[in-house]
Amino acid sequence: MEKSIGIVGAGIGGLHLALYLQKHGIQATVLTDREPEQYAATRLMNTVAHHGITVARETELGVNHWGDPEFVYYHHDHFFNFPGSPLLFRGAFKQPSRAVDYRIYLPALMKDFEDRGGTIEYASIQDDDVPALVARFDLLVVSTGKGALGRMFSHRPELSPYQQPQRLLCVGLYDGVDHGSPDGDDPRGVTLSVSPGHGEMIVIPTLTFGGMKTALLMENIPGGDMAELVSLNYDADPAGFRQTMLDKLEKHHPHTYNKIDTHRFDLQPLDLLQGAVVPTVRRSSVSFDGKIAIALGDVHSVVDPMMGQGANMASYAAFELGKAIVDAVAFDDRFVETVDRARENRVLAAARWTNLMLQPPSEAIGRLIVTMAQNRALCDEFTDNFNYPERQWDRLASDRRIHAWIDERTQLAA
């Protein structure tokens, strides 16, 4: 079967799919509005960690350009700023994770794809371009939700419980924050820091244009003491921004504040991203006169970045979609059913798990936190499940499951 595949969007989902198809002898056309050389001058896009299972897919595609141990991290430190009795404990990955600024990452993969004979068309797609675009290809994959393309896929209310953002984001790449060393007594890791009632912060060692820096991904609860950071203007008053940030960190995330060289603590204006997202799961496909457009990545499921699942899910879903395209004899409703069956368990588990963690903790979650602080095997399993959100959701989907997991691990420890 001759297969003409169009992929709208050059994010991780679109590029991993294009590279996967290319490796298996199917040439796709990637359509995007940004050329590789433009990325360096754009604002920070995200702060994305790729877990070990995603790094393995990059190795399979021949695009793991950042395998040096200098760039990876090995564990999660969990810090809870409970008044009077803060809690700190660690969980390890079986395989290391890594974070690379996407302004470096995406152009590198675009170059790989083009160097191997792939086609990328650079154009801004307007609403009235959609019918011709769908008609042009045997299958259109939509991995960017801009404009009419994103609106094609209606949301699934049963899987989209929120109508408003649950966190207000302030994300930056900072100098002056100690994130550990590549080896030695204090190996590099991520910190997941919680200030009850005010929000969370994920501290991620990240490769940037300026070398290794530290991403501070602040997830601030609306109405909490950290919420003002979503609109704090760095350009208008850099010194005031830095001081406000330091004051908030000292109060709410002291474990990280104590690792900051306050004289060096700063960022570049383009290395700051502020905003919010509404977690949403959408229908996976739409039909146009016998042709199908299928959603991928954030177009299919956009999650709050708290649990670091968005990019990893996009990569996973790209591989599952790629396998189905390679095997397909027709792009029809049955094809869509096959794709949904292959990818939805993990993708929807990631959405449900993330949505759960956006809520105030139940008694069972509270017990899990306290037990993980005392039981390293339990915390290691929780940490490595960032690679496998369906396994995490198997453990967390109900209070009964959470208590059973704790009891199982406690008995094994005894």
Side-chain angles (χ1 to χ4, degrees), residues 46 50 64 105 161 179 196 234 240 263 291 293 317 326 345 352 388:
N46 49 40
H50 288 186
N64 183 6
Y105 182 86
H179 47 228
Y234 180 91
H263 299 291
K291 292 288 188 74
V326 169
N345 184 35
R352 288 164 167 152
Y388 307 101

Side-chain angles (χ1 to χ4, degrees), residues 50-58 95-96 312 346 386-388:
H50 288 186
H51 303 307
I53 197 166
T54 300
V55 174
R57 285 191 288 268
E58 293 167 347
Q95 298 294 329
N312 293 279
R346 181 170 293 184
F386 276 68
N387 288 280
Y388 307 101

Side-chain angles (χ1 to χ4, degrees), residues 361-371 396 398-403 406:
S362 66
E363 180 275 333
I365 291 290
R367 183 185 175 212
L368 177 64
I369 292 167
V370 172
T371 308
L396 303 179
S398 67
D399 285 355
R400 182 175 296 179
R401 286 174 178 264
I402 296 169
H403 287 302
I406 296 169

Side-chain angles (χ1 to χ4, degrees), residues 14-26 57 60-61 113 116 315 318-327:
L15 289 173
H16 277 205
L17 174 60
L19 288 158
Y20 182 94
L21 294 176
Q22 187 178 59
K23 180 178 179 180
H24 290 84
I26 298 173
R57 285 191 288 268
E60 181 179 338
L61 294 175
F113 180 64
R116 299 170 189 177
S315 170
F319 266 59
E320 294 302 320
L321 177 56
K323 294 172 189 175
I325 290 172
V326 169
D327 293 340

Side-chain angles (χ1 to χ4, degrees), residues 15-186:
L15 289 173
H16 277 205
L17 174 60
L19 288 158
Y20 182 94
L21 294 176
Q22 187 178 59
K23 180 178 179 180
H24 290 84
I26 298 173
Q27 291 297 330
T29 300
V30 175
L31 302 103
T32 182
D33 60 357
R34 185 179 295 167
E35 299 188 25
E37 58 270 18
Q38 294 177 304
Y39 279 83
T42 62
R43 183 168 293 277
L44 179 68
M45 305 169 68
N46 49 40
T47 51
V48 172
H50 288 186
H51 303 307
I53 197 166
T54 300
V55 174
R57 285 191 288 268
E58 293 167 347
T59 300
E60 181 179 338
L61 294 175
V63 296
N64 183 6
H65 305 302
W66 306 276
D68 192 303
E70 179 184 354
F71 304 138
V72 305
Y73 64 89
Y74 301 91
H75 61 263
H76 283 170
D77 282 335
H78 302 263
F79 177 78
F80 291 83
N81 191 26
F82 297 133
S85 56
L87 194 62
L88 176 64
F89 53 94
R90 176 170 292 182
F93 291 105
K94 292 179 180 177
Q95 298 294 329
S97 298
R98 184 196 63 220
V100 178
D101 188 334
Y102 264 33
R103 293 170 295 182
I104 297 173
Y105 182 86
L106 296 180
L109 267 63
M110 293 166 76
K111 184 176 186 302
D112 288 331
F113 180 64
E114 289 188 303
D115 286 350
R116 299 170 189 177
T119 299
I120 302 180
E121 296 181 5
Y122 299 97
S124 178
I125 297 171
Q126 307 302 319
D127 289 7
D128 55 4
D129 296 328
V130 173
L133 201 57
V134 174
R136 175 181 167 187
F137 298 102
D138 296 322
L139 178 70
L140 184 69
V141 180
V142 182
S143 63
T144 182
K146 297 177 182 177
L149 285 165
R151 292 194 297 270
M152 293 192 306
F153 303 93
S154 60
H155 86 290
R156 298 176 63 179
E158 75 279 12
L159 295 170
S160 307
Y162 302 120
Q163 305 304 311
Q164 301 292 332
Q166 299 301 294
R167 295 294 188 271
L168 303 176
L169 307 179
C170 182
V171 189
L173 296 173
Y174 291 86
D175 290 307
V177 185
D178 181 13
H179 47 228
S181 59
D183 49 27
D185 295 334
D186 185 23

Side-chain angles (χ1 to χ4, degrees), residues 293-354:
I294 193 162
L296 176 64
D298 283 352
V299 179
H300 182 209
S301 176
V302 58
V303 294
D304 187 280
M306 181 189 295
M307 294 292 102
Q309 291 300 308
N312 293 279
M313 289 307 95
S315 170
Y316 168 79
F319 266 59
E320 294 302 320
L321 177 56
K323 294 172 189 175
I325 290 172
V326 169
D327 293 340
V329 297
F331 296 119
D332 53 12
D333 290 343
R334 180 59 176 166
F335 169 79
V336 174
E337 290 176 1
T338 301
V339 173
D340 287 347
R341 186 170 58 249
R343 67 181 179 174
E344 281 200 340
N345 184 35
R346 181 170 293 184
V347 171
L348 298 186
R352 288 164 167 152
W353 168 34
T354 302

